[in-house]
Amino acid sequence: MLFAHGFGCDQGMWRFVEPSFRADYRTVLFDHVGAGQADLACYDPVRYSSLGQYADDVLDICRELALDQPVFVGHSVSAMIGMLAAIRAPQLFARLVLICPSPCYIDDGDYVGGFSRDDIAGLIDFLDDNFVAWSGAMAPAIMGNAERPELGRELESSFCRTDPTAARQFARVTFLSDNRRELDLLRTPSLILQASDDAIAPPAVGRYLHQALRGSTLVQLAARGHCPNLSAPQETVAAIRDYLR
């Protein structure tokens, strides 16, 4: 099983989920370039100007470690990164687990992404102006679970550990991406885990993905917020286990 973290996070975000699968799978954790312990010298803003390069990194990991059709588990933007990787090399993956995914964050006609184009522009401008203030304001909203402020503080700390230059670029790539046209190209079976009351990927997004992805399974979690791997790890693990049986 290959676990990929979301924007502003690192592999530590899987610490409550990944250990539950060690007995049955070889588990692999990594940090995207610019996050965690990844070598920042590998970061190139031109090279990483689209999610495609992040998908190529995933393929490089699979080939370097000779992973034998792993289950890819991707959170948030990494769900789409995993999808793009599986489209490029379908033979490499057995299944995809997409946690709080979104193919497009911007509302477009009948499509509900959760944000207007002005919303996203304002979010990116705020991040550019003051990354620390952005982290403090956005982390609690993204995490949800206001009654558990320690979760928001953890996400804020994770944001602040991310290289600011790489984070600003990754934010643009993430929130301005539109992968709806690629959905029909995916042939790998996938599980969509939709959290409730998610400020980043509302329920309409999960339903849209389920209708667009062939062979997909949609599970609505009771967990609230955008990071059920942290806020509701037991429910997240149970949903993944049920799917992989």
Side-chain angles (χ1 to χ4, degrees), residues 107-134:
D107 299 336
D108 180 23
D110 293 335
Y111 174 78
V112 178
F115 298 88
S116 69
R117 192 166 295 277
D118 286 344
D119 289 336
I120 294 297
L123 182 151
I124 292 173
D125 286 345
F126 183 17
L127 188 152
D128 283 342
D129 288 342
N130 192 325
F131 182 60
V132 173
W134 182 92

Side-chain angles (χ1 to χ4, degrees), residues 202-226:
V205 173
R207 294 192 296 269
Y208 177 90
L209 272 175
H210 180 44
Q211 292 173 356
L213 294 179
R214 305 179 192 183
S216 67
T217 300
L218 173 63
V219 173
Q220 175 71 58
L221 301 174
R224 292 177 289 112
H226 192 59

Side-chain angles (χ1 to χ4, degrees), residues 150-187:
E150 70 278 5
L151 294 175
R153 288 194 294 269
E154 176 172 350
L155 188 59
E156 178 184 356
S157 295
S158 178
F159 286 165
C160 291
R161 289 194 303 271
T162 305
D163 177 75
T165 300
R168 292 184 180 98
Q169 173 81 342
F170 198 15
R172 284 184 170 80
V173 171
T174 296
F175 292 112
L176 295 176
S177 64
D178 186 350
N179 299 114
R180 288 176 292 171
R181 292 183 178 179
E182 285 87 359
L183 300 179
D184 189 53
L185 301 176
L186 183 68
R187 297 294 181 269

Side-chain angles (χ1 to χ4, degrees), residues 32-33 43-57 77 80-81 84 88 169-179 182:
H32 286 300
V33 65
Y43 178 70
D44 179 336
V46 175
R47 185 182 180 197
Y48 287 93
S49 61
S50 75
L51 294 183
Q53 182 54 53
Y54 292 93
D56 284 343
D57 287 352
V77 65
M80 290 298 101
I81 290 170
L84 294 175
R88 294 181 179 191
Q169 173 81 342
F170 198 15
R172 284 184 170 80
V173 171
T174 296
F175 292 112
L176 295 176
S177 64
D178 186 350
N179 299 114
E182 285 87 359

Side-chain angles (χ1 to χ4, degrees), residues 9 75-76 98-102 105 115 138-148 151-152 155 159 192-203 205-206 219-233 235-236:
C9 301
H75 172 236
S76 193
L98 313 176
I99 302 177
C100 302
S102 177
Y105 296 91
F115 298 88
M138 290 300 299
I142 293 171
M143 180 61 71
N145 297 273
E147 76 284 0
R148 300 167 66 189
L151 294 175
L155 188 59
F159 286 165
I192 302 163
L193 292 184
Q194 173 70 52
S196 63
D197 194 22
D198 185 345
I200 301 298
V205 173
V219 173
Q220 175 71 58
L221 301 174
R224 292 177 289 112
H226 192 59
C227 302
N229 46 326
L230 282 180
S231 62
E235 184 184 17
T236 301

